[in-house]
């Protein structure tokens, strides 16, 4: 009976050992020694258990410290340190589901922050090129990836203000172009379009084409003024000399440029 008791207690002790249940293992070894006092195997295992419990206690304390430091690092936003401490905790206890889950969480946060930083860099490049809408799109991505980043929020606000200011400038310059052309002020219209080339970067080619068009219109307009001025002078001289064929010729020439000119219409009627 004692032998069976001893054998069963040892079997249970080994089972408890496999589960790292040191408290139960100690109890089963004590039962085994009750059944077979001074048993060398049970006594040796009991002594080893004392050493293992000491080591396990140190290990558990190291694990606890590593986890606490990692948790504090996360709270302070120091994800690099958090990653290091959770890795340390997992090295101490590879079976820790808490350390594994936290390490996965920190890896995701770090990855998102790196992606957010890349988007911020792209936004800065776009901003330098004057492509504010594209810059804002990249900053929106960064905000989603790193929602607690105050610097990103500040940049978004700044870009939004810049976009509004640029929109207002574009609107005012368009009005300048329109009003200048009403008065045949081609120089002011061309100058406004040249400013639009640098400000309205999404429509740069449009304004470049407009500048060329206005320059051609300006040349045509100046040519028209020169012709009309020349015709006016010749009409007055011809009328003074009663040379009505010359008057008629120059009136028709001038009216081919401007049918609404009363001066030439009156002389033509005469």
């Amino acid at each position: 009976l004692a032998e069976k008791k001893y054998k069963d207690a040892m079997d249970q002790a080994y089972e408890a050992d496999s589960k790292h249940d040191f408290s139960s293992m100690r109890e089963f070894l004590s039962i085994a020694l009750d059944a077979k006092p001074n048993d060398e195997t049970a006594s040796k295992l009991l002594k080893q258990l004392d050493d293992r419990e000491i080591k396990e206690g140190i290990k558990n304390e190291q694990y606890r410290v590593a986890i606490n430091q990692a948790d504090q690092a996360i709270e302070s936003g120091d994800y690099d340190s958090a990653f290091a401490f959770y890795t340390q905790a997992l090295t101490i206890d590879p079976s820790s589901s808490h350390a594994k889950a936290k390490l996965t969480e920190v890896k995701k946060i770090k990855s998102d922050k790196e992606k957010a930083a890349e988007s911020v860099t792209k936004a800065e490049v776009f901003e330098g090129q004057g492509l504010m809408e594209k810059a804002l799109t990249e900053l929106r991505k960064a905000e989603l990836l790193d929602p607690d980043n105050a610097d990103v929020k500040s940049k978004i606000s700044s870009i939004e203000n810049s976009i509004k200011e640029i929109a207002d400038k574009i609107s005012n310059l368009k009005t300048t172009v329109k009003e200048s052309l009403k008065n045949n002020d081609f120089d002011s219209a061309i100058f406004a379009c040249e400013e639009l080339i640098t400000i309205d970067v999404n429509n740069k080619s449009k304004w470049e084409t407009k500048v060329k068009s206005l320059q051609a219109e300006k040349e045509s307009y100046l040519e028209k003024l020169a012709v009309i001025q020349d015709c006016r002078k010749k009409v007055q001289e011809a009328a003074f000399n009663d040379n009505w064929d010359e008057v008629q010729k120059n009136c028709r020439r001038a009216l081919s440029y401007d049918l609404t000119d009363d001066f030439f219409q009156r002389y033509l009627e005469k």
Side-chain angles (χ1 to χ4, degrees):
L1 185 62
E3 184 64 30
K4 184 177 184 308
K5 180 180 178 183
Y6 169 81
K7 184 178 181 305
D8 289 344
M10 290 297 289
D11 288 343
Q12 291 297 323
Y14 286 127
E15 178 69 19
D17 184 21
S18 68
K19 297 177 181 178
H20 290 273
D21 185 356
F22 297 141
S23 177
S24 296
M25 182 180 178
R26 182 178 294 279
E27 291 176 1
F28 285 122
L29 287 174
S30 296
I31 294 172
L33 285 169
D34 285 342
K36 189 185 287 190
N38 302 318
D39 177 72
E40 184 178 346
T41 300
S43 297
K44 185 178 179 181
L45 286 174
L46 196 58
K47 185 177 184 311
Q48 289 176 347
L49 181 59
D50 291 337
D51 294 337
R52 289 172 66 186
E53 284 184 325
I54 292 172
K55 290 179 181 178
E56 192 69 21
I58 295 172
K59 176 182 170 182
N60 288 340
E61 178 60 19
Q62 290 174 335
Y63 173 83
R64 186 189 66 78
V65 170
I67 288 293
N68 286 342
Q69 288 176 315
D71 290 343
Q72 290 172 9
I74 279 189
E75 289 179 8
S76 64
D78 185 357
Y79 296 101
D80 288 334
S81 294
F83 181 85
F85 285 126
Y86 282 129
T87 300
Q88 181 182 340
L90 199 58
T91 300
I92 295 169
D93 183 3
S95 65
S96 172
S97 57
H98 174 73
K100 287 178 182 177
K102 283 294 186 179
L103 194 58
T104 299
E105 178 185 333
V106 170
K107 284 180 180 178
K108 180 67 167 61
I109 292 172
K110 281 171 60 64
S111 174
D112 285 349
K113 283 184 172 292
E114 288 171 2
K115 291 177 182 176
E118 289 174 3
S119 288
V120 170
T121 299
K122 289 180 182 178
E124 290 171 349
V125 172
F126 284 134
E127 183 180 3
Q129 295 172 339
L131 302 172
M132 297 302 184
E133 292 292 346
K134 289 187 176 181
L136 184 60
T137 297
E138 290 299 328
L139 288 173
R140 292 292 188 200
K141 292 179 189 175
E143 185 180 34
L144 289 173
L145 290 165
D146 192 2
D148 296 326
N149 192 319
D151 186 49
V152 170
K153 294 182 187 298
S154 176
K155 286 180 182 292
I156 287 174
S157 177
S158 176
I159 291 293
E160 285 177 337
N161 289 335
S162 294
I163 288 173
K164 185 179 183 306
E165 290 174 4
I166 290 171
D168 290 341
K169 285 181 182 178
I170 290 173
S171 177
N172 291 335
L173 286 169
K174 285 181 177 179
T175 299
T176 297
V177 172
K178 184 177 180 181
E179 294 301 318
S180 297
L181 291 177
K182 283 182 181 179
N183 300 316
N184 293 316
D185 185 357
F186 290 96
D187 287 337
S188 295
I190 289 171
F191 182 77
C193 286
E194 287 173 341
E195 285 198 74
L196 282 164
I197 289 172
T198 62
I199 295 174
D200 190 9
V201 291
N202 292 323
N203 296 296
K204 182 179 178 181
S205 60
K206 168 189 171 182
W207 297 116
E208 288 175 339
T209 301
K210 184 67 174 177
V211 167
K212 291 178 181 178
S213 172
L214 289 177
Q215 287 171 338
E217 286 184 46
K218 176 186 175 182
E219 289 179 10
S220 177
Y221 178 71
L222 292 176
E223 179 186 347
K224 166 187 165 182
L225 290 182
V227 169
I228 289 175
Q229 185 177 1
D230 181 59
C231 289
R232 188 182 297 272
K233 180 180 178 182
K234 289 179 178 178
V235 165
Q236 288 173 331
E237 291 176 353
F240 181 77
N241 295 320
D242 289 328
N243 186 351
W244 297 104
D245 287 339
E246 187 71 13
V247 169
Q248 185 182 40
K249 183 180 76 172
N250 282 285
C251 282
R252 292 191 184 282
R253 182 186 176 202
L255 289 171
S256 69
Y257 283 91
D258 186 359
L259 284 172
T260 63
D261 195 307
D262 290 341
F263 174 83
F264 296 106
Q265 286 180 342
R266 287 199 307 270
Y267 270 98
L268 196 58
E269 288 172 3
K270 288 183 182 180

